[in-house]
Each structure stands twice: as structure tokens, then as C-alpha cells.
Amino acid sequence: METENTADILECCKCHVTLESRRTDFVYLNYNFHVDVPRCPKCGQVYLPKALVEGKMADVEMLLEEK
Ligand SMILES: [Zn+2]
């Protein structure tokens, strides 16, 4: 795990409330994985860090190749 400073998007641009980190499940290539995603507690808008999701998908693809 990298410990980068990810204090970028921590406020909803509409509601101006602090985003909550919420565990969200994904299914990709029949694999389940979960990512902690910043989510607005007020309007429910989820901010998906694209790089994070793509990184997870790359992990899954590596798992598949190992089989
Ligand atoms: Zn909001």
C-alpha cells in the first residue's frame, strides 16, 4: 500500500460537506473486490478515483493470469 497524500477531494462540490470514506463493492471478471470510495453523506454522490479502480482491475487481471 502506498501512503500518498490523498487529501484532494474531500468535500462535495455541491453540498460542501466532508466526504465519507465508504467501502464499495465491485465485480470485475467475476471477481469481487472492494474499494474505499469517498462519498457525500448528503447527496450520495460517489467520487471514484479512476486510477484506484483501474489499479484494482489490474490486480484482478494479474490474479487471473496466475491461474
Ligand atoms: Zn453532495
Side-chain angles (χ1 to χ4, degrees):
M1 275 294 173
E2 290 175 28
T3 48
E4 286 180 29
N5 189 4
T6 50
D8 288 342
I9 322 162
L10 288 174
E11 192 179 79
C12 179
C13 57
K14 278 190 288 187
C15 315
H16 299 286
V17 293
T18 307
L19 299 180
E20 292 176 345
S21 193
R22 187 192 165 99
R23 182 163 283 195
T24 306
D25 291 307
F26 291 90
V27 182
Y28 180 65
L29 298 176
N30 294 322
Y31 272 82
N32 284 295
F33 57 96
H34 46 250
V35 184
D36 287 328
V37 178
R39 176 180 173 276
C40 175
K42 205 170 176 184
C43 71
Q45 178 66 55
V46 168
Y47 293 85
L48 264 189
K50 198 166 171 245
L52 196 155
V53 173
E54 285 174 350
K56 277 284 177 189
M57 286 179 175
D59 287 349
V60 170
E61 281 164 9
M62 275 177 62
L63 280 173
L64 287 176
E65 280 173 15
E66 279 172 12
K67 279 198 170 176

